[in-house]
Amino acid sequence: MTPPLPKVLLKPQRAQPFFGRHPWVFAGAIDAVSGDPADGAEVELRTTAGTFVARGLYNSQSKIRVRLYSWEPEVPLDRAFWKARLERAISLRHNVLNLNQPNAAYRVVFSEADFLSGLVVDRYGDWLSVQFTAFATAQRKEMFAELLTELLLPKGIYLRTEKGIGKLEGAEIHDGPLRGEPPSAEIAVEENGLKFVVNLSEGQKTGYYLDQRNNRAAAARYAHGRRVLDAFCYSGGFGLYAAKAGAAEVECVDASDAALALAKKNAEANGLDRVTFVAADVFDHLSTRAKEGKTYDMIVLDPPKFARDRRAVPDAIRGYRRLHSLAMKLLDKDGILVSCCCSGLILPEEHEDVIVQTAIDAKRDLQILERRGAAPDHPVAATCRETAYLKCWIGRVN
């Protein structure tokens, strides 16, 4: 007979979000823990009266004390459970979104959005890039690697680590090959007819910003004949889309020499020659261009995450405000502004308020054309709205 699972009891009147299938149980919601579970162990979440709520994985070192996965009392979190969850995530990408094409790049598993909290999997051609953002999923990395190999048949799986995850989760994880062949130094993928080179071992995030796929295509629709500035260009995504769409000129700016080297290769691979690349701090470069009296017909602002915790939000807002103030100085009349924010702690209305207020301060008329989010291979779980982290805003400035 299977021994009973350790139990995590909630404080009175704290169970409703978890009956509603939110996956994160923070320490402050917990009244008591029985059974002395080890970190990473499977536990039952129960109300203060003892009513079953869900099954999850425990971590005493994390603010998220329990991550929930199953709301069925008789469904254990065993290999068959994880395989079924992976199959469901893969089915969305292959059978619904039809992303399983040769040399394609797409997100296979998006953590809480695929009801697999703590696991992110991206596909780049024949390779997978995997992130474990929870102690318990990292503890099961060999099982996940085995299942992903069985279901997707990659040449290899490469492990990437999330910044600060060791401190947050108590997990010792290091970048490197996890299964199969090590990835090529440069993996060629295709996206909406454009070729991009991805470096899984050195690139940002899991190698590339897959979440912006549809936003790059949307922004490109406004680029024909325009002088475009792509700020924080990384490997050239927005800028190269604009160039292909017929932009008169494109200026790509990033502080990373390695990123710009990739961007140049990507421009050459696509035969795009009306693109210049500038290695500079973006804030400094925009300030210099404003002093020079330079103007653009279209500016794309796609900065890295400014706020990694709630304490950083005020500084992040100030950073976004400064960035948009510079953009308002540099945009010519009838200019197009594409503004992105990947800081999940900054709400969509806060992001939009920054844009609107800087336009008011600059005495510019502003029209909202599109409010967008991440590509659909980065879905939003209806019971975990935090998965709606990416904001992409397109507007017209006069």
Side-chain angles (χ1 to χ4, degrees):
M1 184 175 178
T2 305
L5 291 176
K7 294 175 177 54
V8 176
L9 300 179
L10 292 164
K11 291 178 179 177
Q13 300 182 334
R14 300 298 291 270
Q16 191 57 44
F18 313 116
F19 279 123
R21 301 199 172 208
H22 196 285
W24 300 335
V25 184
F26 287 92
I30 294 172
D31 185 44
V33 178
S34 67
D36 194 25
D39 290 339
E42 184 176 348
V43 297
E44 285 187 357
L45 184 70
R46 291 182 174 268
T47 67
T48 188
T51 304
F52 175 85
V53 180
R55 287 187 183 224
L57 300 177
Y58 183 78
N59 186 2
S60 67
Q61 302 179 70
S62 174
K63 291 180 180 178
I64 303 175
R65 201 55 53 91
V66 184
R67 292 174 186 262
L68 302 177
Y69 300 94
S70 172
W71 281 260
E72 302 297 329
E74 304 305 322
V75 178
L77 306 184
D78 57 12
R79 188 182 189 277
F81 174 86
W82 301 116
K83 182 178 180 181
R85 280 290 163 91
L86 289 172
E87 287 175 332
R88 188 165 74 173
I90 292 166
S91 178
L92 170 63
R93 281 73 180 180
H94 291 188
N95 302 329
V96 179
L97 301 178
N98 196 30
L99 294 172
N100 189 26
Q101 304 298 320
N103 301 318
Y106 55 94
R107 177 145 292 181
V108 180
V109 176
F110 185 30
S111 197
E112 290 81 12
D114 283 300
F115 315 100
L116 282 161
S117 181
L119 177 65
V120 173
V121 183
D122 288 337
R123 183 164 203 164
Y124 296 100
D126 292 326
W127 277 269
L128 300 180
S129 180
V130 176
Q131 279 188 338
F132 297 104
T133 57
F135 178 91
T137 51
Q139 188 183 54
R140 292 162 172 77
K141 65 180 185 293
E142 295 300 333
M143 179 201 67
F144 281 116
E146 182 180 289
L147 287 171
L148 289 166
T149 300
E150 177 185 332
L151 295 171
L152 293 169
L153 305 175
K155 284 186 178 179
I157 302 175
Y158 195 83
L159 177 60
R160 291 295 300 267
T161 53
E162 177 84 6
K163 184 178 180 181
I165 198 65
K167 183 178 179 181
L168 289 171
E169 288 286 315
E172 284 295 324
I173 326 171
H174 303 284
D175 287 13
L178 182 58
R179 180 67 61 95
E181 297 179 29
S184 306
E186 294 181 354
I187 299 172
V189 300
E190 293 186 16
E191 181 182 283
N192 293 327
L194 280 163
K195 299 173 184 176
F196 288 92
V197 171
V198 177
N199 188 321
L200 291 195
S201 59
E202 295 181 8
Q204 297 176 20
K205 293 190 76 174
T206 62
Y208 184 59
Y209 289 90
L210 298 170
D211 50 1
Q212 293 278 31
R213 180 194 308 108
N214 292 15
N215 296 331
R216 288 187 278 265
R221 294 196 291 266
Y222 300 91
H224 185 79
R226 294 182 180 273
R227 297 163 295 142
V228 179
L229 171 67
D230 181 7
F232 307 97
C233 70
Y234 185 45
S235 56
F238 278 100
L240 300 189
Y241 268 76
K244 186 185 178 186
E249 62 182 61
V250 179
E251 183 177 307
C252 292
V253 186
D254 202 282
S256 168
D257 290 330
L260 288 175
L262 273 181
K264 290 175 185 177
K265 285 184 180 180
N266 291 335
E268 292 168 3
N270 290 284
L272 301 172
D273 55 7
R274 292 190 304 278
V275 188
T276 58
F277 301 91
V278 181
D281 175 89
V282 170
F283 286 93
D284 291 344
H285 183 72
L286 268 57
S287 296
T288 299
R289 285 290 196 237
K291 290 174 184 175
E292 294 170 347
K294 172 73 174 178
T295 59
Y296 302 87
D297 304 309
M298 180 173 175
I299 294 177
V300 179
L301 303 176
D302 185 20
K305 186 183 292 187
F306 282 176
R308 293 190 175 274
D309 57 51
R310 294 197 179 278
R311 292 171 298 179
V313 168
D315 283 343
I317 294 290
R318 283 190 284 272
Y320 285 118
R321 189 178 297 280
R322 182 183 170 211
L323 192 61
H324 287 84
S325 293
L326 289 166
M328 293 297 168
K329 294 177 182 177
L330 290 165
L331 269 174
D332 211 339
K333 290 184 177 180
D334 199 31
I336 297 295
L337 175 64
V338 181
S339 173
C340 303
C341 173
C342 63
S343 299
L345 292 170
I346 294 177
L347 300 175
E349 54 267 30
E350 292 176 313
H351 175 236
E352 187 167 301
D353 283 349
V354 165
I355 303 168
V356 172
Q357 191 56 55
T358 53
I360 292 170
D361 292 344
K363 297 180 172 57
R364 305 292 299 269
D365 289 330
L366 183 65
Q367 292 169 298
I368 300 168
L369 304 180
E370 299 187 42
R371 296 184 179 99
R372 306 178 59 85
D377 53 338
H378 296 64
V380 177
T383 54
C384 184
R385 304 293 178 86
E386 293 88 343
T387 50
Y389 69 100
L390 181 64
K391 285 76 65 179
C392 178
W393 188 100
I394 303 176
R396 178 176 179 243
V397 180
N398 266 305

